Amino acid sequence: EGAVELTATAVDAAGNAASDAVTIQVDRTPPALTMAAPGPGAFLQGPTVAVSGTLADASPAAVDVNGVAATLTDNGDGTFTYAAEVAVSDGALTLAVTATDAAGNASQLTRAVTIDGTPPAVSIATPADGAFLSTAAVTVSGSVTDATVVTVDVNGSAAAVTDNGDGTFGYTVDI
């Protein structure tokens, strides 16, 4: 690791000599890589995902995220910040960040996330639309379906969503 000088010397038949030298950098250490965002197991909307983090290396050359080139910013302290926008579609996704330095050493890390760009389907079963009520309170009930865990608010208050596979909810609200 580090600087190495290489010298070539040529001597002709008369004893005349000439030399030339170059200094190279030996680097056998891959970049140290972190991913700041998104977090592990995150649920994200898409259609793009912002991926960012840091790397430390004496000679960073490139970072890519799922094949998309990231921008590198020198932090001035031997570390670099990277950022990339990756096009995604709904479903499970593994983000793979690869950093390669000028010597060809590479590091990779992965992170599993879920992309969910589809809003939940929600419907109110009771009371019926247009119903006339004389009570001071009414229980609003219905169902909600989505590929992920959901919360339901009725007039701004959290309604309990049952976890029995049918996604039903109910909440009593003063009217």
Side-chain angles (χ1 to χ4, degrees), residues 7-102:
T7 304
T9 303
V11 180
D12 65 16
N16 300 307
S19 296
D20 192 19
V22 296
T23 301
I24 62 167
Q25 297 294 323
V26 176
D27 178 5
R28 296 183 183 100
T29 305
L33 187 60
T34 67
M35 189 184 314
F43 288 87
L44 308 165
Q45 286 186 347
T48 63
V49 170
V51 181
S52 63
T54 60
L55 71 100
D57 194 88
S59 63
V63 175
D64 74 74
V65 181
N66 289 23
V68 174
T71 58
L72 282 176
T73 304
D74 189 342
N75 296 328
D77 61 359
T79 66
F80 295 79
T81 301
Y82 67 87
E85 286 283 331
V86 179
V88 296
S89 56
D90 279 9
L93 174 67
T94 299
L95 296 167
V97 178
T98 304
T100 307
D101 67 17

